Amino acid sequence: MRIAVLGTGQVGRTLAGRCAQLGHDVVVGTRDPRQTMARTDTDAMGTPPYAQWQAEHPDVALATNAEAGAGADLVVNATNGSVSQAALTDAGVGARDGLVVLDVANVLEFGAGPLPGIGATTEGSLGERLQAAFPAARMVKALNTMNCAVMVDPARVPGDHVVFVAGDDAEAKAVVQDLLGEFGWGSERIVDLGGIVGARATEMYIPLWLSLMGALGTPEFNIALAR
Amino acid sequence: MRIAVLGTGQVGRTLAGRCAQLGHDVVVGTRDPRQTMARTDTDAMGTPPYAQWQAEHPDVALATNAEAGAGADLVVNATNGSVSQAALTDAGVGARDGLVVLDVANVLEFGAGPLPGIGATTEGSLGERLQAAFPAARMVKALNTMNCAVMVDPARVPGDHVVFVAGDDAEAKAVVQDLLGEFGWGSERIVDLGGIVGARATEMYIPLWLSLMGALGTPEFNIALAR
């Protein structure tokens, strides 16, 4: 598949590198590639400059969001949720009828409180807002409930922990489930929460995820279902 | 222990019955015991009338919230979150310095949408509001992330699934952890999320719990931590 990964942070890099490793044709999209490559500082999350990662991944191309989105079979939204709609607009998602978009993003608005704002309530979520903003696209929410290293390599964490998918289009969900399978998610570990409205549930889990990261002292964990 | 369980619904009954079975002195509190005993209809959740359960549990007393709360070593809040503050007020929680309150409640405001309102955001939660309303009491949030049958008998669900506790007072948390141990929760399955602010995280997990109940077709499940 031709995959456009929007976002040059740790999540975007990890997904792009893994998809390329699996043999996909991967382009990372950013607002201004020259500016992205010119940065030399480690960011607020401790992520080293993009150019360093790019040099180690010659099989991944860097382009504008528009160039990355053009001709992509699958767009992966790995931007911070607060800028996702702008990035998807730039990537031309609105103009591509039936385009499958894998939305792994969360809104994380860090402020003075103990938890960041997450932009999700029992009445709405980022995944739904993106689906509403791009009605011709087929949005699938998945992978947003775990650290990016676990997203692309579930075997890093032992046990039958799970990944959730939510989306209105069954065919689009099947495309995403196939990619999850390539990452290492056996079908019995992919839990279908139904329509994109299910994004409310997974986005509202983030405060528990953040609390657990604090309690466990590591981001490399996930939840399993006991039944 | 003398335990006051506030709430006569399925959650209150299950907790009261189990605590009595364990040898505790249990009083169930309600607004109007005569009215509670007079009801003959099955409620909206399919719960049979209280009097039927009471007849099968002669070891549990029914009293007003005030009578139940008086002299209790531990108050368990098993009311619907939207009436919890009134019930705790009636139970005299505000007047008992250092009283330990185990808050297992969630706000569930069912309306037209696919999910009920939950009264918790990244900026506040029921557990915190109750702690703020009764500053002399020691609030511990726990057990609100699962079905009541699983709360009191974790072995009903196989696997090392977990229970979360959150509260500002370490001694109060130890009282609750001991009771959880009596229910069958081994200490390695009790995850301490820190202060009562952790109630935000567990209350905001409810939409995922409800979605999973739909996806799994049963309320008898829980989450385990893979790490």
Side-chain angles (χ1 to χ4, degrees):
Chain A
M1 280 197 291
R2 168 86 188 268
I3 300 178
V5 177
L6 309 184
T8 57
Q10 194 60 53
V11 181
R13 295 178 200 181
T14 304
L15 285 160
R18 178 70 161 135
C19 288
Q21 185 191 51
L22 288 165
H24 295 288
D25 179 11
V26 180
V27 184
V28 169
T30 189
R31 266 171 300 190
D32 182 340
R34 204 169 316 181
Q35 197 180 61
T36 297
M37 287 297 284
R39 277 188 217 120
T40 54
D41 51 327
T42 296
D43 79 6
M45 312 289 276
T47 309
Y50 182 84
Q52 183 181 317
W53 183 87
Q54 181 64 77
E56 294 158 11
H57 292 81
D59 50 345
V60 173
L62 181 69
T64 62
N65 287 321
E67 288 162 346
D73 301 309
L74 172 71
V75 169
V76 179
N77 176 33
T79 63
N80 183 308
S82 43
V83 301
S84 294
Q85 190 171 335
L88 266 62
T89 300
D90 290 348
V93 167
R96 297 271 313 280
D97 204 34
L99 180 65
V100 180
V101 179
L102 166 56
D103 174 29
V104 309
N106 289 301
V107 174
L108 292 173
E109 288 167 342
F110 291 92
L115 288 170
I118 57 164
T121 69
T122 51
E123 303 196 329
S125 61
L126 174 66
E128 290 168 276
R129 288 193 296 277
L130 293 178
Q131 180 62 84
F134 306 102
R138 296 183 289 176
M139 205 68 57
V140 180
K141 190 93 200 185
L143 292 171
N144 63 307
T145 55
M146 68 194 78
N147 171 269
C148 60
V150 182
M151 291 182 188
V152 300
D153 184 13
R156 284 178 81 96
V157 173
D160 286 335
H161 50 95
V162 296
V163 60
F164 307 108
V165 295
D168 293 339
D169 187 276
E171 205 178 276
K173 278 201 282 202
V175 169
V176 167
Q177 283 166 345
D178 283 349
L179 184 64
L180 295 178
E182 292 177 36
F183 288 169
W185 295 98
S187 58
E188 75 290 353
R189 291 166 64 182
I190 303 175
V191 180
D192 190 338
L193 296 180
I196 191 68
V197 68
R200 295 180 198 178
T202 63
E203 294 178 25
M204 291 185 81
Y205 161 74
I206 296 307
L208 183 56
W209 187 87
L210 291 167
S211 300
L212 287 170
M213 180 172 66
L216 301 176
T218 173
E220 297 223 359
F221 70 91
N222 193 11
I223 54 172
L225 299 181
R227 49 182 144 166
Chain B
M1 278 197 291
R2 167 87 188 268
I3 300 179
V5 176
L6 309 184
T8 57
Q10 193 61 53
V11 180
R13 295 178 201 181
T14 303
L15 285 160
R18 178 70 161 135
C19 288
Q21 185 191 51
L22 289 165
H24 295 289
D25 178 11
V26 181
V27 184
V28 169
T30 188
R31 265 171 301 189
D32 182 341
R34 206 169 313 181
Q35 196 180 62
T36 297
M37 287 297 284
R39 278 188 218 121
T40 55
D41 51 327
T42 297
D43 79 5
M45 312 290 274
T47 309
Y50 182 83
Q52 183 180 317
W53 182 87
Q54 182 63 76
E56 294 158 11
H57 293 82
D59 50 345
V60 174
L62 180 70
T64 62
N65 286 322
E67 289 161 347
D73 302 308
L74 172 70
V75 169
V76 179
N77 175 34
T79 62
N80 183 308
S82 42
V83 301
S84 294
Q85 191 171 333
L88 266 63
T89 300
D90 290 347
V93 167
R96 297 272 312 282
D97 203 34
L99 180 64
V100 180
V101 179
L102 166 55
D103 175 29
V104 309
N106 289 300
V107 175
L108 292 173
E109 288 167 341
F110 290 94
L115 288 170
I118 57 165
T121 69
T122 51
E123 303 197 330
S125 61
L126 174 66
E128 290 167 276
R129 287 193 298 275
L130 294 178
Q131 181 63 82
F134 306 102
R138 297 183 288 175
M139 205 67 58
V140 180
K141 190 94 201 184
L143 292 170
N144 64 308
T145 55
M146 68 194 78
N147 171 270
C148 59
V150 182
M151 290 181 189
V152 300
D153 183 14
R156 285 178 80 95
V157 173
D160 287 335
H161 50 96
V162 296
V163 60
F164 306 108
V165 295
D168 293 340
D169 186 275
E171 204 178 274
K173 277 200 282 201
V175 169
V176 166
Q177 283 165 346
D178 284 349
L179 183 64
L180 295 178
E182 292 178 38
F183 289 169
W185 295 98
S187 59
E188 74 289 354
R189 292 166 63 182
I190 302 175
V191 181
D192 190 338
L193 296 181
I196 191 67
V197 68
R200 295 179 197 178
T202 63
E203 294 179 25
M204 291 185 81
Y205 161 73
I206 296 307
L208 183 56
W209 187 88
L210 291 167
S211 300
L212 287 171
M213 180 173 63
L216 301 176
T218 174
E220 297 222 0
F221 70 91
N222 193 12
I223 54 173
L225 299 180
R227 50 184 142 166

